[in-house]
């Protein structure tokens, strides 16, 4: 049984109720978490506020930085334990779970170094005036986190908020939150004061909603689906609370005839099957120039056919989806594609060792997907790639921009001038050219446009969102 983590203590929820944690690899419950409510959120916010005014706001940047660095080292020291937790909770193959721990280590390392480098400006003004700006923390920040990358999203969101001088109340997903409860305990061991990091588990419409509405929350960072993002923004607007929204995507991979296909094919494959396609930045649409459409599909078809899907601990190419409803969601897309006579090129294989009770889905490649079909428009959040062809650069841009999302775009071409033209014309928060987000990108600002959200996390840019700017104008003669 797991408990909330408030003011450096494990505490049961006020309701006394719990929720089961289900292992996606076999569909069986293996632990329980607290089913918290508004009273638990209230307790966490009070603890955070007390910490901010009594302790955290008195630490200077270097002192905060040392704490974040110590936590980074603690996480690295417990990498195996955290990877196993995340693997079981989310159904991640071992290599993915380990990569997620490494990314978390890097987030705290990166933001540790940023704590004492955050500063304002001096601004030339009227004679006799000195004007300066200060970057001040919001105070208590709320963080609502999804199940697909709990550790990574905790790192980029909570890491940035702490570095900027805030203290945090975190509401992880009810589908995966065990790693975050453990990290909060590691933070205490690293010397974090009581109330700096608080974790309250439970259902979205109970805990998440209470957090978004709470008067004591000064900024909300939400990562999740566009529909819930709307609810969060509405709740926050009632009290004019600033919000960062990191929402979904339907990101295009655009391949021109002059591309290096040896580099493109494995990157395109990985971008749709990593984490079983349950990645906001999944490269879910493949746009290929007509003259290489057939050879490209042939190569990708072979690669898809070779993919093996199975229990997380088997560490195959792909693990299970997070839960039964997510599996059903993917099946609905597949059956719609079938009804619309969209041709399937290839499918991977679920290994015989995979229990029937697990939430498996073989990666699937479709071709000639009409631009307006929901398979080309909506987020599947599963290992399903929708391929289509284009005749020229103009059409490629039109097709790439023709969804309500704008998170990431991948462009594959050796033509330098086209690389810049494409980067300018794509409506997207990120454009990756001849790569697709290699290296984790802790240092790189990340976020969306359109229904993919607004505000930026990751990189130093995140610190602007986790602070407010105060302008001080002094008239001295
Ligand atoms: P979700 O929106 O259902 O849940 C996200 C979080 O919000 C969870 O903690 C959930 O409990 C909480 N929540 C649910 N209903 C709520 C409510 N009424 N009020 C407050 N909180 C509520 O999303 P999900 O299914 O967990 O995650 C998948 C979605 O997240 C996908 O759309 C994906 O693209 C997106 N995502 C985006 C990014 C990004 O950086 N842009 C990263 C990861 C995931």
């Amino acid at each position: 049984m797991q408990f909330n983590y408030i003011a450096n203590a494990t505490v049961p929820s006020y309701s006394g109720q719990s929720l089961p944690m289900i292992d996606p690899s076999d569909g069986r419950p293996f632990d329980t978490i607290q089913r918290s409510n508004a009273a638990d959120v209230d307790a966490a916010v009070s603890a955070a506020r007390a910490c901010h005014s009594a302790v955290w706001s008195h630490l200077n940047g270097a002192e905060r930085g040392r704490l974040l660095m110590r936590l980074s080292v603690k996480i690295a020291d417990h990498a195996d334990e955290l990877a196993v937790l995340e693997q079981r909770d989310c159904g991640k193959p071992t290599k993915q779970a380990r990569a997620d721990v490494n990314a978390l280590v890097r987030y705290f390392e990166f933001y540790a170094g940023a704590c004492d480098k955050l500063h304002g400006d001096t601004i030339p003004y009227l004679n006799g005036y000195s004007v300066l700006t200060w970057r001040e923390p919001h105070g208590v920040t709320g963080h609502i986190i999804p199940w697909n990358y709990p550790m990574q999203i905790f790192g980029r969101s909570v890491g940035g908020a702490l570095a900027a001088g805030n203290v945090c109340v975190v509401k992880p997903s009810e589908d995966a939150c065990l790693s975050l409860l453990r990290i909060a305990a590691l933070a205490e061991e690293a010397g974090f004061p009581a109330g700096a990091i608080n974790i309250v588990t439970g259902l979205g419409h109970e805990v998440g909603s209470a957090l978004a509405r709470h008067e004591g929350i000064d900024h909300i960072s939400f990562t999740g689906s566009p529909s819930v993002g709307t609810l969060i923004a509405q709740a926050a607007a009632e009290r004019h609370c600033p919000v960062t929204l990191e929402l979904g995507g339907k990101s295009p991979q655009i391949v021109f005839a002059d591309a290096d296909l040896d580099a493109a094919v494995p990157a395109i494959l990985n971008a749709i099957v990593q984490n079983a396609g349950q990645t906001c930045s999944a490269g879910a649409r493949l746009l290929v120039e007509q003259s290489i459409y057939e050879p490209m599909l042939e190569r990708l078809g072979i690669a898809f056919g070779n993919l093996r899907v199975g229990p997380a601990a088997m560490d195959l190419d792909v693990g299970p989806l997070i839960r039964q409803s997510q599996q059903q969601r993917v099946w609905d897309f597949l059956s719609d594609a079938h009804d619309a006579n969209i041709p399937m090129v290839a499918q991977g294989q679920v290994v015989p060792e995979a229990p029937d009770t697990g939430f498996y889905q073989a990666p699937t490649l479709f071709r000639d997907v009409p631009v307006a079909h929901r398979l080309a428009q909506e987020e599947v959040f599963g290992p399903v790639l929708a391929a289509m062809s284009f005749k020229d650069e103009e059409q490629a841009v039109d097709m790439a921009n023709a969804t309500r999302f704008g998170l990431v775009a991948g462009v594959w071409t050796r033509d330098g001038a086209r690389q810049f033209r494409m980067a300018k014309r794509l409506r997207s928060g990120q454009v990756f050219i001849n790569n697709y987000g290699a290296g984790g990108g802790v240092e790189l600002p990340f976020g969306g446009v359109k229904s993919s959200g607004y505000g930026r996390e990751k990189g130093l840019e995140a610190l602007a969102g986790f602070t407010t700017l105060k302008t001080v104008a002094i008239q001295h003669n």
Side-chain angles (χ1 to χ4, degrees), residues 218-351:
D218 302 311
H219 176 279
I220 298 168
S221 162
F222 172 78
T223 304
S225 57
S227 54
V228 176
T230 303
L231 298 177
I232 301 292
Q234 283 169 341
E238 291 289 329
R239 54 192 186 83
H240 310 113
C241 176
V243 180
T244 300
L245 294 181
E246 299 276 4
L247 309 177
K250 189 74 185 178
S251 297
Q253 297 267 21
I254 308 159
V255 187
F256 287 93
D258 67 344
D260 175 356
L261 294 191
D262 291 339
V265 168
I268 288 168
L269 186 72
N270 183 58
I272 188 61
V273 302
Q274 177 178 313
N275 210 34
Q278 304 166 118
T279 304
C280 56
S281 54
R285 290 184 295 150
L286 176 64
L287 280 49
V288 186
E289 192 165 359
Q290 256 161 19
S291 61
I292 58 157
Y293 189 50
E294 296 305 332
M296 181 73 185
L297 287 182
E298 198 179 323
R299 285 177 76 149
L300 260 182
I302 293 167
F304 263 75
N306 287 334
L307 290 169
R308 296 197 313 146
V309 185
M314 283 183 75
D315 198 21
L316 303 175
D317 304 306
V318 183
L321 298 168
I322 187 73
R323 57 175 184 241
Q324 204 278 323
S325 63
Q326 190 66 23
Q327 190 184 36
Q328 184 61 51
R329 177 184 162 86
V330 178
W331 288 347
D332 290 346
F333 274 94
L334 297 183
S335 103
D336 283 356
H338 180 263
D339 292 349
N341 292 319
I342 296 175
M344 184 196 290
V345 178
Q347 214 168 27
Q349 285 189 355
V350 179
V351 298

Side-chain angles (χ1 to χ4, degrees), residues 68-151:
L68 266 71
M69 186 56 88
R70 264 189 245 144
L71 179 52
S72 169
V73 172
K74 273 264 170 217
I75 292 165
D77 289 346
H78 291 78
D80 290 344
E81 177 196 348
L82 289 168
V84 168
L85 270 180
E86 195 87 327
Q87 173 168 58
R88 182 125 200 233
D89 222 2
C90 306
K92 288 175 192 269
T94 312
K95 51 186 154 327
Q96 173 73 60
R98 290 206 178 126
D100 288 4
V101 186
N102 291 342
L104 177 64
V105 169
R106 276 291 294 136
Y107 277 117
F108 275 93
E109 197 174 54
F110 178 84
Y111 284 118
C115 290
D116 58 356
K117 295 165 192 77
L118 187 60
H119 56 75
D121 288 322
T122 56
I123 300 173
Y125 194 51
L126 304 174
N127 285 340
Y129 279 77
S130 287
V131 180
L132 54 145
T133 58
W134 290 334
R135 288 232 154 253
E136 297 185 333
H138 295 291
V140 181
T141 49
H143 304 258
I144 301 177
I145 293 182
W147 44 261
N148 56 347
Y149 291 86
M151 285 194 292

